[in-house]
């Protein structure tokens, strides 16, 4: 990684780019993950590169849904494995939820590399290598998953995913929580709960809500989840972005 001076106004953003490009060279992040990241960065600019109130609310409801779930799974792809693997492990222990490597550009080599990366960060059990089941309606490689992981999950948290997978999981009757900076994406529009935030901020925020909600009555959490209006949140987010952009000059 090149040395980026802390004084650089875009220090965090440049460090993140370095992290991802190093991860591409290591064979963890897919090279198209850089393009996906660029799209995410553009939307993060629109949001002001911080968690807006509507995202915070989504993170809160997601935490409630994950606590209520019987078999929750956090899906890990090449971008998340580079950006915040440790935070995903902390969240999975806190809920508790399973971690499963589930890739769009799946190869055994990448799955194994991500597996050992998660191990290096302290993950205990990691699903996704067995690949003994298929997400219905996705073609062979992209659909591969573990029968006792995503296949049998009731709630799946999918950080930055393609819309196809989100829809396929929903068709299987699962509740899908998606983290996607793009409020217009198919993923954001299809998910049950969409978090329009950077995965780097979103995962720790969900973890704090999970900790907070441990003392709550399950029926109160259930009410929160049942009353969630995802489309309203998307509309509010788009209004936030347009107002913010309109007031800039
Ligand atoms: O590792 P693999 O093989 O599973 O591949 C992963 C990628 C991301 C390459 C694959 O799923 C893909 O092509 O995704 P898309 O269709 O480009 O969608 C990625 C979405 O994530 C886009 O809508 C971006 O706006 C969003 N995004 C990118 N970076 C972040 C993000 N959302 C939240 N946090 C980010 N850091």
């Amino acid at each position: 990684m090149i040395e980026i001076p802390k004084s650089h106004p875009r220090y965090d953003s440049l460090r993140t780019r370095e992290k991802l490009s190093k991860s591409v060279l290591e064979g963890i992040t897919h090279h198209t993950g850089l393009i996906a990241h660029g799209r995410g960065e553009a939307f993060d600019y629109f949001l002001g590169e911080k968690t807006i109130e509507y995202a915070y609310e989504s993170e809160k409801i997601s935490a409630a849904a994950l606590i209520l779930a019987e078999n929750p799974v956090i899906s890990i792809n090449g971008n998340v494995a580079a950006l915040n693997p440790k935070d995903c492990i902390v969240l999975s222990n806190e809920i508790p939820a399973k971690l499963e490597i589930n890739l769009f550009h799946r190869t055994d080599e990448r799955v194994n590399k991500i597996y050992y990366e998660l191990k290096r960060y302290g993950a205990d059990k990691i699903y996704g290598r067995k690949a003994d089941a298929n997400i219905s309606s996705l073609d062979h490689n992209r659909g591969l998953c573990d029968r006792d992981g995503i296949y049998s999950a009731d709630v799946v948290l999918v950080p930055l995913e393609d819309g196809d997978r989100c829809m396929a999981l929903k068709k299987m009757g699962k509740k899908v929580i998606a983290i996607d900076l793009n409020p217009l994406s198919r993923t954001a529009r299809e998910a049950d709960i969409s978090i329009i935030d950077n995965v780097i901020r979103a995962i720790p925020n969900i973890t704090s809500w999970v900790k907070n909600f441990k003392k709550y009555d399950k029926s109160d959490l259930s009410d929160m989840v049942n009353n969630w209006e995802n489309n309203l949140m998307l509309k509010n987010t788009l209004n936030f972005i347009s107002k913010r952009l309109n007031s800039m000059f």
Side-chain angles (χ1 to χ4, degrees), residues 133-197:
N134 228 299
I135 301 171
S136 20
S137 76
L138 286 183
D139 57 41
H140 185 63
N141 260 1
R142 288 189 314 141
L144 287 173
C145 65
D146 278 15
R147 188 162 293 280
D148 45 0
I150 285 181
Y151 189 81
S152 50
D154 53 348
V155 176
V156 188
L157 171 64
V158 284
L160 60 131
E161 268 296 349
D162 59 295
D164 243 19
R165 188 176 308 264
C166 174
M167 271 190 272
L169 291 170
K170 280 204 63 173
K171 268 194 212 147
M172 288 172 81
K174 301 177 194 309
K175 191 184 271 297
V176 178
I177 303 170
I179 304 174
D180 191 334
L181 278 160
N182 177 4
L184 301 168
S185 74
R186 273 186 313 148
T187 306
R189 287 181 288 129
E190 288 294 331
D192 295 286
I193 308 168
S194 311
I195 300 173
I196 312 302
D197 200 1

Side-chain angles (χ1 to χ4, degrees), residues 76 81 85-86 88-89 99 101 113-124 126:
I76 304 287
K86 182 77 200 167
C88 291
I89 297 166
L99 287 169
I101 303 160
K113 284 190 173 172
I114 295 172
Y115 177 89
Y116 289 110
E117 183 70 352
L118 292 172
K119 279 277 169 203
R120 192 167 75 79
Y121 279 98
D124 183 16
I126 306 158

Side-chain angles (χ1 to χ4, degrees), residues 14 25 33 60 65 72 76 90 92 113 122 140 175 193 203 228:
L14 293 178
L25 294 175
K60 172 177 165 186
I76 304 287
V90 171
S92 79
K113 284 190 173 172
H140 185 63
K175 191 184 271 297
I193 308 168
I203 301 283
W228 178 245

Side-chain angles (χ1 to χ4, degrees), residues 40 62 94 126 135 169 184 198-199 212 229 232-233 237-238:
S62 301
E94 198 63 47
I126 306 158
I135 301 171
L169 291 170
L184 301 168
N198 197 314
V199 71
N212 213 339
E229 291 182 71
L232 180 61
M233 179 281 300
T237 302
L238 287 169

Side-chain angles (χ1 to χ4, degrees), residues 20 54 61 79 111 123 133 179 228 241 249:
L20 277 169
Y54 307 111
I61 304 302
N79 282 51
V111 172
I179 304 174
W228 178 245
I241 292 175
F249 299 102

